[in-house]
Amino acid sequence: MDEPSADPLEIEPALVKGILCRFLHDEVTKVGFGRVVVGVSGGVDSALALWLAARALGAERCLAVMMPYRQSDPASLEDARRVVEAVGTPARTVDISPQIDAYFTQVPTEDRTRRGNKLARERMTVLYDCSLAESALVVGTSNKTELLLGYGTLFGDMAHALNPLGDLYKTQVYQLARHADLPARVIAKAPSADLWLGQSDEAELGFTYAVADRLLYHLVDERRTLLECQALGFDPALIASVHERIRVNQYKRRLPLIAKLSQRTIDRDFRYPRDWGY
Amino acid sequence: MSAPRLRLACLQTAPRLGDLAANCAQLAATIAAARADGADLVVTPELAMTGYFLRDLVPDVAVVVDGPELAALSRAAGDGLALVGAVVESRDHRFHNASVLVGRGGVTVVHRKVYLPTYGLFDEQRYLAAGDRFTVVEIPGADGAAWRVGVCICEDLWHPSGPWMLSRQGMDLLVCPSASPARGVRAGLGGLGSAASYQAMLRTYAECLTCFVAYGNRVGVEDGVGFWGGSRILGPDATVLAGPLGEEPGGCAAVLERGHLRRARLATPVLRDERVDVVLSGLRRLETTPQDGGG
């Protein structure tokens, strides 16, 4: 009998790739689409999502969209181009600076979160415009770590039709990416949402993905109590912080609340699968 | 004279979720094809007529025993038999996750899933009614000799009492129609966690109950959840007679020989040595023991 890896977060890359490619192929084609659109940032998540989609559907059926803002790190666009070249998909670049600047000229703010959210939501509208124009579904790139910690913009990067990475922790995304034909520097560089110059995920979160993923695994997958996590050696302050992030960001992982009136309210007692009839 | 044989085929399908007409048409064609290849019994996956994650679609895709859908599949099975997975609505409007034996001009519900998983990604008890028994059914093999078949639908297999009770009724063949989701991707397992669990269970039941085992799992993806297939047929010594299939639609078939059962039960006479009296007296003692789990 085979023995499981001592590291519970270590995945079997070929197995995961097979499941995710079947997921992308089946869930796109059975609802009548044959194409997808992926916003490519130059980071590892979107690179991997594009690579998986190309393996699932064929590179020619995947449109990579690069959406730089004038204050984005120029290296991000260069890396995004490297990704597109490596995966071999058609690509489009849409500079979102004019519409972003137009808005903030009317509504000035230096609040980085507001500005960052606006960028993420602008990119979403570009992707959904491409979706209609190209008859292509928008593939999301949020990983499980981001979704659990709420490290994403509601109706921004969290808006998409389907997501192959949402059940992979960030460190697992890296594992799978190392088995993909992706540029090494995209995998090697420090993770950043690049919503402002010099932004670093791990600096902003206050902990590393390596530590956060192990803690999240024990809290979420293993359903260990906070005290049990403490006994495993995790810092009590980190446990409290991560647990609180999971709780306060639950709203981002749900449809908006609907006030109950009738016998059958959507998503409460009107429950149908997305794949209804497919 | 050769020993009695049963020609068995397992179909591995990818149903369209909630599309009864399309699934019935596809099943009729594949059952007819398996019959043309000589199968005496054709096994389909759990809820092959409807798909699995139905939620509120359950009443919309339910069939009744004397309805046109099962009649059509019975015609497709012709002189042979097929076990098809369906939502069956009872006369008093309960909806069961059921295995229906069709063919030879008849339609019979042979098993209603007893253990409806309602945890994790499963929600069956919200939508479905539970069965209340495990009963073997006798079917004719290639030469007319009777074979005793027991059915455990997916989660039923995780409760050893079901297969054990079927075994005590003389079960020759344990059939497990399944809709098992693909999950568990930890490195080092040599495959999926869910596949490893089923592989261990199927082997254990084959050897411990010395019976043939047929596992008919589905494939495809529903609402982001993939199903891993792996359909197979095992002998009563856990030898693999057919399969395991991969993650694509298809089928596997084997000829089950009565002599194989006889040899396995001579080599490992655990059925002969089974002590029903010990079990019954133990159950009687349990009746007077609190079953609250303590605390």
Side-chain angles (χ1 to χ4, degrees), chain B residues 24-76:
Chain B
C24 281
Q26 200 248 345
L27 280 174
T30 47
I31 288 170
R35 272 295 298 147
D37 288 341
D40 302 308
L41 177 65
V42 182
V43 171
T44 75
E46 176 181 18
L47 296 178
M49 288 177 74
T50 62
Y52 182 72
F53 287 109
L54 292 161
R55 313 188 84 191
D56 278 354
L57 289 172
V58 161
D60 300 343
V61 298
V63 293
V64 291
V65 170
D66 54 359
E69 299 88 358
L70 290 169
L73 294 183
S74 185
R75 284 193 299 277

Short mmCIF file of all heavy atoms in Angstrom, two decimals, chain B residues 24-76:
data_model
loop_
_atom_site.label_atom_id
_atom_site.label_comp_id
_atom_site.label_asym_id
_atom_site.label_seq_id
_atom_site.Cartn_x
_atom_site.Cartn_y
_atom_site.Cartn_z
N CYS B 24 -31.78 8.72 -20.58
CA CYS B 24 -32.49 7.48 -20.89
C CYS B 24 -32.14 7.00 -22.29
O CYS B 24 -31.92 5.81 -22.52
CB CYS B 24 -34.01 7.69 -20.79
SG CYS B 24 -34.59 7.65 -19.11
N ALA B 25 -32.08 7.94 -23.22
CA ALA B 25 -31.77 7.56 -24.60
C ALA B 25 -30.36 6.96 -24.67
O ALA B 25 -30.13 5.94 -25.32
CB ALA B 25 -31.87 8.78 -25.51
N GLN B 26 -29.44 7.60 -23.96
CA GLN B 26 -28.06 7.12 -23.98
C GLN B 26 -27.95 5.76 -23.29
O GLN B 26 -27.26 4.85 -23.77
CB GLN B 26 -27.17 8.16 -23.30
CG GLN B 26 -25.71 8.05 -23.66
CD GLN B 26 -24.86 7.61 -22.48
OE1 GLN B 26 -25.31 7.64 -21.34
NE2 GLN B 26 -23.65 7.19 -22.77
N LEU B 27 -28.65 5.60 -22.17
CA LEU B 27 -28.60 4.31 -21.46
C LEU B 27 -29.23 3.21 -22.30
O LEU B 27 -28.72 2.08 -22.34
CB LEU B 27 -29.34 4.42 -20.12
CG LEU B 27 -28.56 5.08 -18.98
CD1 LEU B 27 -29.46 5.25 -17.76
CD2 LEU B 27 -27.33 4.26 -18.61
N ALA B 28 -30.33 3.52 -22.96
CA ALA B 28 -30.99 2.50 -23.78
C ALA B 28 -30.02 2.00 -24.86
O ALA B 28 -29.92 0.79 -25.11
CB ALA B 28 -32.26 3.07 -24.42
N ALA B 29 -29.29 2.92 -25.46
CA ALA B 29 -28.35 2.53 -26.52
C ALA B 29 -27.20 1.70 -25.97
O ALA B 29 -26.83 0.67 -26.56
CB ALA B 29 -27.81 3.79 -27.21
N THR B 30 -26.65 2.12 -24.82
CA THR B 30 -25.48 1.39 -24.29
C THR B 30 -25.89 0.06 -23.68
O THR B 30 -25.14 -0.92 -23.78
CB THR B 30 -24.72 2.24 -23.25
OG1 THR B 30 -25.64 2.81 -22.34
CG2 THR B 30 -23.93 3.35 -23.90
N ILE B 31 -27.07 0.00 -23.08
CA ILE B 31 -27.55 -1.28 -22.54
C ILE B 31 -27.79 -2.26 -23.70
O ILE B 31 -27.39 -3.43 -23.64
CB ILE B 31 -28.83 -1.09 -21.69
CG1 ILE B 31 -28.47 -0.39 -20.37
CG2 ILE B 31 -29.52 -2.41 -21.43
CD1 ILE B 31 -29.67 0.08 -19.57
N ALA B 32 -28.41 -1.76 -24.76
CA ALA B 32 -28.67 -2.62 -25.92
C ALA B 32 -27.35 -3.12 -26.52
O ALA B 32 -27.23 -4.29 -26.92
CB ALA B 32 -29.50 -1.87 -26.97
N ALA B 33 -26.34 -2.25 -26.55
CA ALA B 33 -25.04 -2.65 -27.10
C ALA B 33 -24.38 -3.71 -26.23
O ALA B 33 -23.80 -4.68 -26.73
CB ALA B 33 -24.13 -1.43 -27.23
N ALA B 34 -24.47 -3.53 -24.91
CA ALA B 34 -23.88 -4.51 -23.99
C ALA B 34 -24.61 -5.85 -24.11
O ALA B 34 -24.00 -6.92 -24.04
CB ALA B 34 -23.95 -3.99 -22.55
N ARG B 35 -25.92 -5.78 -24.30
CA ARG B 35 -26.70 -7.00 -24.52
C ARG B 35 -26.25 -7.69 -25.81
O ARG B 35 -26.10 -8.92 -25.85
CB ARG B 35 -28.20 -6.66 -24.62
CG ARG B 35 -28.92 -6.62 -23.32
CD ARG B 35 -28.98 -7.99 -22.66
NE ARG B 35 -29.70 -8.97 -23.48
CZ ARG B 35 -29.40 -10.26 -23.53
NH1 ARG B 35 -28.39 -10.73 -22.84
NH2 ARG B 35 -30.11 -11.09 -24.28
N ALA B 36 -26.03 -6.89 -26.84
CA ALA B 36 -25.60 -7.46 -28.12
C ALA B 36 -24.24 -8.14 -27.98
O ALA B 36 -23.94 -9.11 -28.69
CB ALA B 36 -25.54 -6.36 -29.17
N ASP B 37 -23.44 -7.65 -27.02
CA ASP B 37 -22.14 -8.28 -26.75
C ASP B 37 -22.27 -9.50 -25.85
O ASP B 37 -21.27 -10.10 -25.47
CB ASP B 37 -21.18 -7.27 -26.10
CG ASP B 37 -20.70 -6.21 -27.09
OD1 ASP B 37 -20.82 -6.47 -28.30
OD2 ASP B 37 -20.24 -5.15 -26.64
N GLY B 38 -23.50 -9.81 -25.46
CA GLY B 38 -23.73 -11.06 -24.73
C GLY B 38 -23.91 -10.93 -23.24
O GLY B 38 -23.94 -11.95 -22.54
N ALA B 39 -24.03 -9.71 -22.71
CA ALA B 39 -24.15 -9.56 -21.26
C ALA B 39 -25.49 -10.10 -20.76
O ALA B 39 -26.53 -9.81 -21.33
CB ALA B 39 -24.00 -8.09 -20.87
N ASP B 40 -25.44 -10.88 -19.68
CA ASP B 40 -26.67 -11.31 -19.01
C ASP B 40 -27.16 -10.22 -18.07
O ASP B 40 -28.36 -10.05 -17.86
CB ASP B 40 -26.42 -12.57 -18.18
CG ASP B 40 -25.89 -13.71 -19.03
OD1 ASP B 40 -26.53 -14.02 -20.05
OD2 ASP B 40 -24.82 -14.26 -18.68
N LEU B 41 -26.20 -9.52 -17.45
CA LEU B 41 -26.54 -8.44 -16.52
C LEU B 41 -25.66 -7.23 -16.83
O LEU B 41 -24.44 -7.36 -16.92
CB LEU B 41 -26.32 -8.88 -15.06
CG LEU B 41 -26.57 -7.81 -14.00
CD1 LEU B 41 -28.05 -7.41 -13.96
CD2 LEU B 41 -26.14 -8.32 -12.61
N VAL B 42 -26.31 -6.07 -16.97
CA VAL B 42 -25.60 -4.82 -17.22
C VAL B 42 -25.79 -3.92 -16.00
O VAL B 42 -26.93 -3.74 -15.54
CB VAL B 42 -26.17 -4.11 -18.48
CG1 VAL B 42 -25.37 -2.84 -18.77
CG2 VAL B 42 -26.16 -5.04 -19.68
N VAL B 43 -24.70 -3.41 -15.47
CA VAL B 43 -24.77 -2.54 -14.28
C VAL B 43 -24.48 -1.10 -14.70
O VAL B 43 -23.53 -0.85 -15.44
CB VAL B 43 -23.73 -3.00 -13.23
CG1 VAL B 43 -23.63 -1.99 -12.10
CG2 VAL B 43 -24.08 -4.38 -12.70
N THR B 44 -25.29 -0.17 -14.25
CA THR B 44 -25.04 1.26 -14.53
C THR B 44 -24.70 1.96 -13.22
O THR B 44 -25.00 1.45 -12.14
CB THR B 44 -26.26 1.96 -15.17
OG1 THR B 44 -27.26 2.17 -14.16
CG2 THR B 44 -26.84 1.14 -16.32
N PRO B 45 -24.08 3.13 -13.27
CA PRO B 45 -23.73 3.85 -12.04
C PRO B 45 -24.97 4.33 -11.27
O PRO B 45 -26.09 4.34 -11.80
CB PRO B 45 -22.92 5.05 -12.55
CG PRO B 45 -22.43 4.66 -13.90
CD PRO B 45 -23.52 3.79 -14.47
N GLU B 46 -24.72 4.75 -10.06
CA GLU B 46 -25.75 5.38 -9.22
C GLU B 46 -26.36 6.58 -9.97
O GLU B 46 -25.63 7.39 -10.56
CB GLU B 46 -25.09 5.86 -7.92
CG GLU B 46 -26.00 6.63 -6.98
CD GLU B 46 -25.26 7.09 -5.73
OE1 GLU B 46 -24.01 7.11 -5.73
OE2 GLU B 46 -25.94 7.42 -4.73
N LEU B 47 -27.68 6.67 -9.94
CA LEU B 47 -28.40 7.81 -10.55
C LEU B 47 -27.96 8.07 -11.99
O LEU B 47 -27.88 9.22 -12.43
CB LEU B 47 -28.25 9.07 -9.69
CG LEU B 47 -28.87 8.97 -8.29
CD1 LEU B 47 -28.61 10.26 -7.48
CD2 LEU B 47 -30.37 8.71 -8.36
N ALA B 48 -27.72 6.97 -12.72
CA ALA B 48 -27.28 7.11 -14.12
C ALA B 48 -28.37 7.77 -14.97
O ALA B 48 -28.07 8.40 -16.00
CB ALA B 48 -26.93 5.74 -14.70
N MET B 49 -29.63 7.65 -14.57
CA MET B 49 -30.72 8.25 -15.36
C MET B 49 -30.83 9.75 -15.15
O MET B 49 -31.51 10.43 -15.93
CB MET B 49 -32.06 7.59 -15.01
CG MET B 49 -32.18 6.17 -15.54
SD MET B 49 -33.73 5.39 -15.05
CE MET B 49 -34.90 6.21 -16.13
N THR B 50 -30.18 10.27 -14.09
CA THR B 50 -30.48 11.66 -13.72
C THR B 50 -29.26 12.55 -13.47
O THR B 50 -29.35 13.76 -13.53
CB THR B 50 -31.30 11.69 -12.41
OG1 THR B 50 -30.51 11.11 -11.38
CG2 THR B 50 -32.60 10.94 -12.57
N GLY B 51 -28.11 11.95 -13.13
CA GLY B 51 -27.00 12.73 -12.58
C GLY B 51 -27.15 12.80 -11.07
O GLY B 51 -28.20 12.42 -10.52
N TYR B 52 -26.11 13.28 -10.39
CA TYR B 52 -26.06 13.13 -8.92
C TYR B 52 -26.49 14.36 -8.13
O TYR B 52 -27.41 14.30 -7.33
CB TYR B 52 -24.65 12.69 -8.50
CG TYR B 52 -24.58 12.47 -7.01
CD1 TYR B 52 -25.21 11.38 -6.43
CD2 TYR B 52 -23.94 13.38 -6.18
CE1 TYR B 52 -25.19 11.19 -5.05
CE2 TYR B 52 -23.91 13.20 -4.80
CZ TYR B 52 -24.54 12.11 -4.25
OH TYR B 52 -24.54 11.93 -2.90
N PHE B 53 -25.82 15.52 -8.33
CA PHE B 53 -26.08 16.68 -7.45
C PHE B 53 -27.36 17.40 -7.90
O PHE B 53 -27.34 18.54 -8.34
CB PHE B 53 -24.88 17.63 -7.45
CG PHE B 53 -23.71 17.11 -6.69
CD1 PHE B 53 -22.56 16.70 -7.35
CD2 PHE B 53 -23.74 17.01 -5.31
CE1 PHE B 53 -21.47 16.21 -6.65
CE2 PHE B 53 -22.65 16.51 -4.59
CZ PHE B 53 -21.51 16.11 -5.26
N LEU B 54 -28.49 16.72 -7.71
CA LEU B 54 -29.76 17.18 -8.27
C LEU B 54 -30.39 18.31 -7.47
O LEU B 54 -31.11 19.15 -8.01
CB LEU B 54 -30.74 16.01 -8.33
CG LEU B 54 -30.38 14.92 -9.32
CD1 LEU B 54 -31.11 13.63 -8.98
CD2 LEU B 54 -30.72 15.38 -10.74
N ARG B 55 -30.21 18.29 -6.16
CA ARG B 55 -30.84 19.25 -5.26
C ARG B 55 -32.34 19.32 -5.54
O ARG B 55 -32.99 18.29 -5.57
CB ARG B 55 -30.16 20.63 -5.41
CG ARG B 55 -28.62 20.51 -5.40
CD ARG B 55 -27.94 21.85 -5.35
NE ARG B 55 -27.85 22.33 -3.98
CZ ARG B 55 -27.50 23.56 -3.64
NH1 ARG B 55 -27.24 24.46 -4.57
NH2 ARG B 55 -27.41 23.92 -2.38
N ASP B 56 -32.88 20.50 -5.83
CA ASP B 56 -34.34 20.61 -5.99
C ASP B 56 -34.87 19.99 -7.29
O ASP B 56 -36.08 19.99 -7.53
CB ASP B 56 -34.76 22.09 -5.94
CG ASP B 56 -34.89 22.61 -4.51
OD1 ASP B 56 -34.77 21.80 -3.57
OD2 ASP B 56 -35.12 23.82 -4.32
N LEU B 57 -33.97 19.46 -8.12
CA LEU B 57 -34.44 18.80 -9.34
C LEU B 57 -34.98 17.39 -9.06
O LEU B 57 -35.58 16.78 -9.95
CB LEU B 57 -33.28 18.67 -10.35
CG LEU B 57 -32.80 19.96 -11.02
CD1 LEU B 57 -31.53 19.69 -11.82
CD2 LEU B 57 -33.90 20.48 -11.93
N VAL B 58 -34.78 16.88 -7.85
CA VAL B 58 -35.16 15.49 -7.56
C VAL B 58 -36.58 15.16 -8.01
O VAL B 58 -36.78 14.20 -8.77
CB VAL B 58 -34.93 15.17 -6.06
CG1 VAL B 58 -35.71 13.94 -5.62
CG2 VAL B 58 -33.44 14.97 -5.79
N PRO B 59 -37.61 15.91 -7.60
CA PRO B 59 -38.97 15.52 -8.03
C PRO B 59 -39.18 15.66 -9.54
O PRO B 59 -40.00 14.95 -10.13
CB PRO B 59 -39.88 16.47 -7.26
CG PRO B 59 -39.01 17.59 -6.81
CD PRO B 59 -37.64 17.04 -6.65
N ASP B 60 -38.42 16.55 -10.17
CA ASP B 60 -38.60 16.76 -11.61
C ASP B 60 -38.07 15.60 -12.45
O ASP B 60 -38.49 15.40 -13.58
CB ASP B 60 -37.87 18.05 -12.06
CG ASP B 60 -38.40 19.28 -11.33
OD1 ASP B 60 -39.50 19.19 -10.76
OD2 ASP B 60 -37.71 20.32 -11.35
N VAL B 61 -37.09 14.87 -11.92
CA VAL B 61 -36.47 13.79 -12.71
C VAL B 61 -36.83 12.41 -12.17
O VAL B 61 -36.30 11.40 -12.65
CB VAL B 61 -34.93 13.94 -12.75
CG1 VAL B 61 -34.52 15.24 -13.41
CG2 VAL B 61 -34.32 13.84 -11.36
N ALA B 62 -37.72 12.36 -11.17
CA ALA B 62 -38.11 11.07 -10.61
C ALA B 62 -38.94 10.28 -11.62
O ALA B 62 -39.68 10.86 -12.42
CB ALA B 62 -38.90 11.28 -9.33
N VAL B 63 -38.80 8.97 -11.56
CA VAL B 63 -39.63 8.10 -12.41
C VAL B 63 -40.46 7.19 -11.51
O VAL B 63 -40.13 7.00 -10.33
CB VAL B 63 -38.75 7.24 -13.35
CG1 VAL B 63 -38.05 8.12 -14.36
CG2 VAL B 63 -37.73 6.41 -12.57
N VAL B 64 -41.53 6.66 -12.09
CA VAL B 64 -42.34 5.68 -11.35
C VAL B 64 -42.13 4.31 -12.00
O VAL B 64 -41.74 4.22 -13.17
CB VAL B 64 -43.84 6.07 -11.34
CG1 VAL B 64 -44.05 7.31 -10.49
CG2 VAL B 64 -44.35 6.29 -12.75
N VAL B 65 -42.38 3.28 -11.21
CA VAL B 65 -42.03 1.93 -11.65
C VAL B 65 -42.75 1.56 -12.94
O VAL B 65 -42.19 0.87 -13.80
CB VAL B 65 -42.36 0.92 -10.52
CG1 VAL B 65 -42.25 -0.51 -11.03
CG2 VAL B 65 -41.39 1.12 -9.37
N ASP B 66 -43.99 2.01 -13.09
CA ASP B 66 -44.73 1.64 -14.32
C ASP B 66 -44.73 2.76 -15.35
O ASP B 66 -45.59 2.81 -16.22
CB ASP B 66 -46.16 1.21 -13.96
CG ASP B 66 -46.89 2.28 -13.14
OD1 ASP B 66 -46.25 3.33 -12.85
OD2 ASP B 66 -48.06 2.07 -12.80
N GLY B 67 -43.72 3.64 -15.27
CA GLY B 67 -43.65 4.75 -16.21
C GLY B 67 -42.94 4.40 -17.50
O GLY B 67 -42.33 3.33 -17.63
N PRO B 68 -42.99 5.31 -18.47
CA PRO B 68 -42.44 5.02 -19.80
C PRO B 68 -40.90 4.93 -19.84
O PRO B 68 -40.36 4.19 -20.66
CB PRO B 68 -42.92 6.21 -20.64
CG PRO B 68 -43.18 7.32 -19.65
CD PRO B 68 -43.63 6.63 -18.40
N GLU B 69 -40.22 5.65 -18.94
CA GLU B 69 -38.75 5.66 -19.00
C GLU B 69 -38.18 4.28 -18.68
O GLU B 69 -37.33 3.76 -19.40
CB GLU B 69 -38.18 6.70 -18.03
CG GLU B 69 -38.62 8.14 -18.32
CD GLU B 69 -39.93 8.51 -17.65
OE1 GLU B 69 -40.53 7.63 -16.97
OE2 GLU B 69 -40.38 9.66 -17.81
N LEU B 70 -38.64 3.69 -17.57
CA LEU B 70 -38.13 2.38 -17.19
C LEU B 70 -38.62 1.30 -18.16
O LEU B 70 -37.90 0.33 -18.42
CB LEU B 70 -38.53 2.05 -15.75
CG LEU B 70 -37.79 2.91 -14.69
CD1 LEU B 70 -38.41 2.74 -13.31
CD2 LEU B 70 -36.30 2.54 -14.64
N ALA B 71 -39.80 1.50 -18.71
CA ALA B 71 -40.29 0.55 -19.72
C ALA B 71 -39.37 0.55 -20.94
O ALA B 71 -39.05 -0.51 -21.51
CB ALA B 71 -41.72 0.91 -20.13
N ALA B 72 -38.91 1.74 -21.33
CA ALA B 72 -38.02 1.83 -22.49
C ALA B 72 -36.70 1.13 -22.20
O ALA B 72 -36.15 0.42 -23.06
CB ALA B 72 -37.78 3.30 -22.84
N LEU B 73 -36.18 1.30 -20.98
CA LEU B 73 -34.91 0.64 -20.64
C LEU B 73 -35.10 -0.87 -20.53
O LEU B 73 -34.19 -1.64 -20.86
CB LEU B 73 -34.34 1.22 -19.34
CG LEU B 73 -33.92 2.69 -19.42
CD1 LEU B 73 -33.31 3.14 -18.10
CD2 LEU B 73 -32.92 2.90 -20.55
N SER B 74 -36.27 -1.29 -20.08
CA SER B 74 -36.56 -2.72 -20.01
C SER B 74 -36.57 -3.33 -21.42
O SER B 74 -36.03 -4.41 -21.64
CB SER B 74 -37.91 -2.94 -19.32
OG SER B 74 -38.15 -4.31 -19.15
N ARG B 75 -37.14 -2.59 -22.37
CA ARG B 75 -37.12 -3.07 -23.75
C ARG B 75 -35.69 -3.13 -24.28
O ARG B 75 -35.31 -4.06 -24.99
CB ARG B 75 -37.97 -2.14 -24.65
CG ARG B 75 -39.47 -2.33 -24.50
CD ARG B 75 -40.23 -1.64 -25.63
NE ARG B 75 -40.01 -0.19 -25.66
CZ ARG B 75 -40.67 0.69 -24.89
NH1 ARG B 75 -41.60 0.27 -24.04
NH2 ARG B 75 -40.41 1.98 -24.98
N ALA B 76 -34.87 -2.14 -23.89
CA ALA B 76 -33.48 -2.12 -24.37
C ALA B 76 -32.72 -3.33 -23.85
O ALA B 76 -31.84 -3.86 -24.52
CB ALA B 76 -32.79 -0.83 -23.93
#
